[in-house]
Amino acid sequence: MNATSIDADEPWMRGLHADTGYLLYRLGLRSGQLFNTSLQESGLRLRHYAVLRFLATGEGALQRELSTRLGYDPSAIVGLVDDLEKLGFAERRPAPDDRRSRIVVLTENGRAFLRGTEAAGLRVTNELLAPLDQQERATLHALLLRIAEDGLN
């Protein structure tokens, strides 16, 4: 028995399920749980993975840029980067245009880790979106992207 079926007919649950924001929140939690479970063996969590994925898109980033772009508290970024450095997945280097600043760059080990997690990420996405067909998935993705681009920049 799952939590959804227990209270599905309760009036308070119908009210929550009518709230799109609440549904997005619950789906985000579920997605994070599934993804964290898939990463469990590595000792990393979704927050670490997000940093690695962001770093893979460029030539590195200042920690404050990681904080701003990913929406994480600056103090959390320091810990996440520390964890990734300990694993050899990222490293801090002097910034080319300001030697007092440090940029965080993805290492080859970090790239290899990301390549190794692609299948797990696909499994998580497929499990989460199992009730939707391919066209519905594409529509959902496009709508979420439009919301994210407007609200998260």
Side-chain angles (χ1 to χ4, degrees), residues 4-24:
T4 305
S5 64
I6 295 171
D7 297 322
D9 293 327
E10 294 293 329
W12 62 269
M13 186 56 78
R14 285 192 302 274
L16 283 175
H17 285 179
D19 183 337
T20 303
Y22 175 77
L23 290 174
L24 288 169

Side-chain angles (χ1 to χ4, degrees), residues 8-59:
D9 293 327
E10 294 293 329
W12 62 269
M13 186 56 78
R14 285 192 302 274
L16 283 175
H17 285 179
D19 183 337
T20 303
Y22 175 77
L23 290 174
L24 288 169
Y25 166 75
R26 287 297 306 261
L27 289 171
L29 285 178
R30 179 71 179 134
S31 176
Q33 290 167 343
L34 290 170
F35 208 90
N36 283 332
T37 298
S38 77
L39 290 171
Q40 191 170 18
E41 194 173 296
S42 71
L44 296 183
R45 304 203 34 91
L46 183 55
R47 298 182 111 205
H48 295 98
Y49 182 79
V51 171
L52 291 173
R53 288 295 299 246
F54 182 84
L55 293 174
T57 65
E59 298 298 316

